[in-house]
Amino acid sequence: GFLTEAFKTIKNLDCAKDINFLELIRKKFFYGFDNDKKSIARTKLNMFLAGDGHNNIFYIKDSLDGWNKSKQWNINNIDYILANPPMGKYSGTANLEEFTYTSQKAMEQLFVEKMVKALKPGGRMAIIINDGPLENPTLSRFRSKLISDLNIIAVISLPKYSFAPYTQEKTYVFIADKKISKTDKNENIFMSMVDYDGFSNNGKRFKTKYHDDLPELEDRLISFLNTYKMK
């Protein structure tokens, strides 16, 4: 979903009318990694139907365990990351001593650190993150490490049932740029709370005729991003 919607958005930009640029984004812009081969097959098909012609979607047994240079998943190598890092206890084979944000076996924390390291300096991430890393008083070390490497741009609170029935975990949209230098700082952070997303606020998640904050949020966020400057 992240990759197909991003591809559709870029494909509809004026710059994509240039056939050479369109070929570039079809072959070298989008990369995906997963340890579920069925998800990879579905993603490849969805990307093909969206117009992607190269399908750089790769199987990785454990994205936290080491780096893979041949498939772009490497330190300081990615311009933009769109992701919903998995949540829960980590039971893989990665050497946790290589991680500095946390000593816990918590997948969401480990994946966030891994994604920060994968970003190029000046690169941007937009991810879904649960409330623990952002709110839990015992995770102050994680947040301190996070803001030492990132300039936070936006934090958007989502309804509890946004991802039901898969999870009812409280989540946020978290957007940030990787600092080019430790002295980088941004003076403004976009913060918003979505009460309604166009679906019922319960586990059944049926479409409603009213109560959809997303169109207004989109307009406000785009306006903010168009004027955002890192200082």
Side-chain angles (χ1 to χ4, degrees):
F2 284 104
L3 294 181
T4 53
E5 291 304 314
F7 182 88
K8 291 175 185 177
T9 298
I10 294 178
K11 189 174 67 172
N12 290 327
L13 296 176
D14 288 340
C15 56
K17 294 178 181 178
D18 183 321
I19 189 64
N20 293 324
F21 181 74
L22 181 59
E23 280 300 298
L24 186 64
I25 67 172
R26 292 181 69 244
K27 293 181 178 180
K28 295 186 177 180
F29 266 37
F30 289 90
Y31 290 82
F33 310 94
D34 205 285
N35 66 352
D36 186 331
K37 292 183 179 180
K38 290 183 179 179
S39 292
I40 291 172
R42 288 192 290 265
T43 302
K44 282 178 173 285
L45 176 60
N46 287 337
M47 288 297 286
F48 174 78
L49 294 175
D52 174 58
H54 208 64
N55 280 312
N56 296 298
I57 314 297
F58 299 106
Y59 171 81
I60 291 183
K61 185 176 180 180
D62 187 343
S63 294
L64 294 176
D65 189 4
W67 299 92
N68 192 325
K69 295 181 180 180
S70 65
K71 296 176 181 176
Q72 307 304 316
W73 183 243
N74 201 10
I75 297 174
N76 296 331
N77 202 48
I78 299 177
D79 296 288
Y80 297 95
I81 291 179
L82 303 171
N84 53 330
M87 307 170 192
K89 185 177 180 179
Y90 177 65
S91 57
T93 58
N95 181 6
L96 299 187
E97 293 183 358
E98 296 177 354
F99 293 81
T100 61
Y101 283 20
T102 181
S103 58
Q104 298 183 12
K105 294 182 178 181
M107 286 196 292
E108 59 270 28
Q109 298 176 50
L110 297 171
F111 264 92
V112 169
E113 179 175 350
K114 195 79 169 185
M115 289 187 289
V116 172
K117 290 179 179 177
L119 276 177
K120 293 179 180 178
R124 177 168 293 180
M125 65 193 304
I127 65 172
I128 303 296
I129 189 170
N130 57 327
D131 60 346
L134 298 185
E135 296 184 0
N136 191 326
T138 65
L139 298 181
S140 58
R141 171 189 170 189
F142 174 86
R143 291 188 291 274
S144 177
K145 292 285 188 178
L146 197 65
I147 62 176
S148 71
D149 290 330
L150 297 176
N151 279 309
I152 299 174
I153 299 172
V155 180
I156 302 167
S157 172
L158 298 176
K160 176 181 178 181
Y161 297 98
S162 291
F163 297 97
Y166 308 105
T167 180
Q168 294 184 17
E169 185 89 25
K170 171 64 182 172
T171 55
Y172 295 82
V173 179
F174 180 82
I175 305 175
D177 286 348
K178 187 172 182 177
K179 291 182 177 181
I180 297 175
S181 72
K182 292 295 184 181
T183 59
D184 289 345
K185 64 179 181 178
N186 58 330
E187 296 183 347
N188 298 304
I189 298 175
F190 180 93
M191 304 189 75
S192 183
M193 180 178 291
V194 177
D195 293 316
Y196 303 99
D197 60 2
F199 291 83
S200 61
N201 273 342
N202 56 52
K204 296 182 179 180
R205 298 298 285 162
F206 56 84
K207 185 74 174 176
T208 61
K209 295 182 179 180
Y210 311 104
H211 304 308
D212 188 354
D213 298 336
L214 297 184
E216 179 184 355
L217 169 66
E218 182 179 10
D219 289 342
R220 291 176 53 225
L221 180 58
I222 290 175
S223 177
F224 176 84
L225 293 175
N226 285 338
T227 59
Y228 168 83
K229 292 182 179 180
M230 184 172 64
K231 297 182 180 180

